[in-house]
Amino acid sequence: MLDLHSLVLGGGGAKGVVYPKALQKLHRDRQIDLRAVPHVAGASAGALTGFILALGGTPEAIARLSPTISEALPFATKSFANRSEKRIALSRASTVVDYAADKLDGSAIPSVLMIWAETALLQLMRRIVEQIDLDDEGDSYLALDGERYYLNELHGRGMGCFWDYDVDPGGPHIAALRAALATGLRDLRRFGCYLVGTHHRIVTLLRDAGIDAGWKHLSVTLTRLYPAQVDSEALAETFGSLNYVSTLLPPGTWSTDRNPVHKAFVRHEGVCLLAAAQASGAFPLLFAPTPLGPSPSLRDFLYTDGGCMSNMPIEAPIFADSIIGRPPAERDILAIGLNDGDEASSLPSGWQMWAVQRLMLPSAHKTIVVPADNSFYANARRDICSMPPAAQTEHGALFRFSMKPEGDYRIFYASKLPDAPISLTAEIPTGAQSRSVQDAIDAYADTIARNLAQLVQQAGQPRGGLVWGGL
């Protein structure tokens, strides 16, 4: 079994519906311990899936709630050509929305992320509340009864949404954990935000308290949109429009001036993790760009699909490590993708960005700055996977990469385009078509598991590698 440092999930729109079965198979076959993975990074569909995993979700939870495809939502139906249907929006008001026949409304994505965040926080809070006297907790807990509906609804429609775990009522850090959960719930209800700093604190306290609830750190990629007057040449020297939001970095952590990576990581105490995941999954053709939080300084810029700039963000955990300054070690990264071909070492192309800017973005902020071929990001990305793979299979590759002084990385990369067409705008499949989609999901899971097993078997026979001088 691989002891993973990070799980990386690539983008692919609605094709992300194949992720739950693949992750479930890898976990059940004991190829990875999904519960114990401390960090997940994702772009687009991978970011939305990662958000559910980061808040203690299981593969079953992803299958029920995955915002990458409307059919996966437990309460939803959709509207299609020549007919209009009713659909329950997953908001606290549970209002019924009438969809236009030719419109796919993206409002369900933030609603689903919010209800999942509330449910996960309440589920963890209930485990603590049931075993600890609350004394005088004020109004932070008044919604426990009123919003228990969400938790019951999830468990009623998809058992196994959360990992099983125990809480020691006399354990350390319980009071601090309870306060952090109350802060997260309060921010969600008052501002609709779940802050990056709050998630970092909850994950840290769970680890320190010895509570194995399956919560993880999360990193997502974002494409930042600039007004027309932006100095594109200066920005392209580093990361261009590529940004990251990561809970791996403790609040107040800033890299040194010599480390150009700090320019790509959004560091602001008001960054909303929910908004960051939503922005990363905002496919430009369908969903509007979004800011990262309610504060005025965060609303100056809009962000869209992270897959535009880095659709397979294998570099995200490595860059975060360089900022944190981790002690030397060998670390394993598993990267899973949704497309054929080598996305692990690919870079965004100018014509793709032109198409996104001119054809897809209905916004005055339309400038996407692509990093220059000789930029720091382009060089670093190429260096990570530039050498011949240490092992290779039909749908996978193993890259060995050393970064001084952080240590050595083994990147297990497996990717496959699902056999059956899966689309956000396609009608909900029925009958034989539904069977073909399910067969494609099963085939994808089997392919990823088989290729990972082959790569692990070959991992002891290195044929290539790269030592990088670091950041």
Side-chain angles (χ1 to χ4, degrees):
M1 179 183 293
L2 289 176
D3 182 13
L4 292 181
H5 167 269
S6 296
L7 171 66
V8 180
L9 301 175
K15 296 191 296 291
V17 75
V18 302
Y19 275 143
K21 184 64 176 290
L23 293 173
Q24 183 183 66
K25 182 172 179 59
L26 293 176
H27 181 76
R28 289 183 175 177
D29 291 354
R30 301 185 60 81
Q31 291 180 267
I32 65 171
D33 184 352
L34 184 61
R35 176 180 185 152
V37 173
H39 172 236
V40 58
S44 193
L48 298 171
T49 301
F51 185 86
I52 297 173
L53 289 174
L55 275 73
T58 63
E60 288 79 7
I62 307 171
R64 299 290 178 180
L65 293 174
S66 176
T68 61
I69 184 169
S70 296
E71 294 93 297
L73 304 180
F75 310 115
T77 59
K78 290 204 317 187
S79 300
F80 300 103
N82 302 321
R83 78 175 192 268
S84 177
E85 295 182 357
K86 299 288 186 179
R87 168 175 168 179
I88 299 178
L90 296 188
S91 65
R92 282 175 293 177
S94 296
T95 55
V96 177
V97 179
D98 187 8
Y99 280 66
D102 58 351
K103 179 180 178 183
L104 179 64
D105 192 325
S107 62
I109 290 183
S111 298
V112 170
L113 297 186
M114 178 176 286
I115 195 176
W116 176 250
E118 285 185 330
T119 302
L121 290 166
L122 285 168
Q123 194 269 349
L124 187 53
M125 180 71 82
R126 286 181 65 194
R127 298 295 299 270
I128 297 174
V129 169
E130 288 172 356
Q131 301 179 60
I132 298 177
D133 292 334
L134 288 180
D135 297 324
D136 182 15
E137 297 294 347
D139 62 358
S140 298
Y141 296 93
L142 293 180
L144 279 173
D145 290 329
E147 297 196 10
R148 188 167 292 161
Y149 162 81
Y150 295 134
L151 181 61
N152 294 335
E153 194 71 20
L154 282 175
H155 279 290
R157 294 179 179 269
M159 296 302 293
C161 288
F162 299 99
W163 303 101
D164 292 328
Y165 57 92
D166 296 320
V167 176
D168 180 4
H173 309 291
I174 294 298
L177 177 59
R178 187 173 55 190
L181 292 170
T183 298
L185 287 167
R186 183 182 64 246
D187 290 344
L188 274 171
R189 297 187 184 112
R190 291 183 180 178
F191 312 111
C193 281
Y194 176 60
L195 300 181
V196 169
T198 300
H199 188 78
H200 175 91
R201 180 157 179 77
I202 291 174
V203 172
T204 301
L205 289 170
L206 285 171
R207 180 195 62 201
D208 294 344
I211 300 175
D212 188 13
W215 284 52
K216 316 174 191 308
H217 285 295
L218 175 65
S219 300
V220 301
T221 62
L222 302 161
T223 299
R224 188 175 185 175
L225 305 181
Y226 291 92
Q229 64 270 22
V230 67
D231 185 354
S232 300
E233 183 176 352
L235 289 169
E237 292 177 358
T238 53
F239 282 79
S241 287
L242 176 61
N243 280 157
Y244 305 90
V245 166
S246 178
T247 68
L248 274 174
L249 309 184
T253 298
W254 289 90
S255 59
T256 60
D257 291 339
R258 70 177 180 83
N259 186 344
V261 171
H262 82 282
K263 298 180 180 180
F265 281 80
V266 182
R267 303 294 297 139
H268 188 289
E269 62 181 9
V271 170
C272 175
L273 188 62
L274 188 154
Q278 175 194 347
S280 184
F283 182 65
L285 185 60
L286 295 175
F287 305 130
T290 182
L292 294 184
S295 69
S297 58
L298 287 173
R299 299 189 72 86
D300 287 343
F301 290 97
L302 298 176
Y303 295 82
T304 190
D305 196 336
C308 294
M309 299 298 293
S310 181
N311 201 47
M312 177 55 68
I314 56 172
E315 76 285 349
I318 298 175
F319 286 161
D321 285 349
S322 73
I323 295 177
I324 298 171
R326 294 185 185 275
E330 182 173 88
R331 301 180 175 93
D332 288 341
I333 297 175
L334 171 60
I336 305 175
L338 300 171
N339 300 289
D340 288 333
D342 180 14
E343 285 189 306
S345 55
S346 63
L347 295 171
S349 64
W351 73 266
Q352 289 175 321
M353 293 304 99
W354 182 90
V356 170
Q357 292 173 156
R358 295 293 183 268
L359 304 177
M360 295 185 179
L361 290 176
S363 168
H365 291 67
K366 287 190 175 182
T367 300
I368 297 178
V369 183
V370 180
D373 288 340
N374 61 347
S375 67
F376 175 86
Y377 167 71
N379 289 330
R381 176 86 179 194
R382 280 192 293 261
D383 285 346
I384 291 174
C385 297
S386 65
M387 297 294 288
Q392 199 160 8
T393 62
E394 181 183 4
H395 292 280
L398 168 63
F399 300 96
R400 293 180 179 272
F401 176 73
S402 295
M403 183 171 68
K404 296 183 180 299
E406 282 73 20
D408 300 325
Y409 293 86
R410 297 191 306 175
I411 303 170
F412 295 85
Y413 168 64
S415 183
K416 182 183 184 298
L417 182 70
D419 296 330
I422 302 173
S423 170
L424 274 169
T425 55
E427 185 167 348
I428 299 174
T430 58
Q433 186 181 3
S434 176
R435 183 67 260 173
S436 68
V437 171
Q438 186 58 52
D439 290 344
I441 292 174
D442 294 340
Y444 176 87
D446 292 339
T447 299
I448 296 300
R450 182 176 66 254
N451 281 265
L452 177 59
Q454 294 171 356
L455 291 173
V456 171
Q457 187 176 15
Q458 300 177 47
Q461 306 170 10
R463 300 197 310 269
L466 173 72
V467 177
W468 197 33
L471 302 174

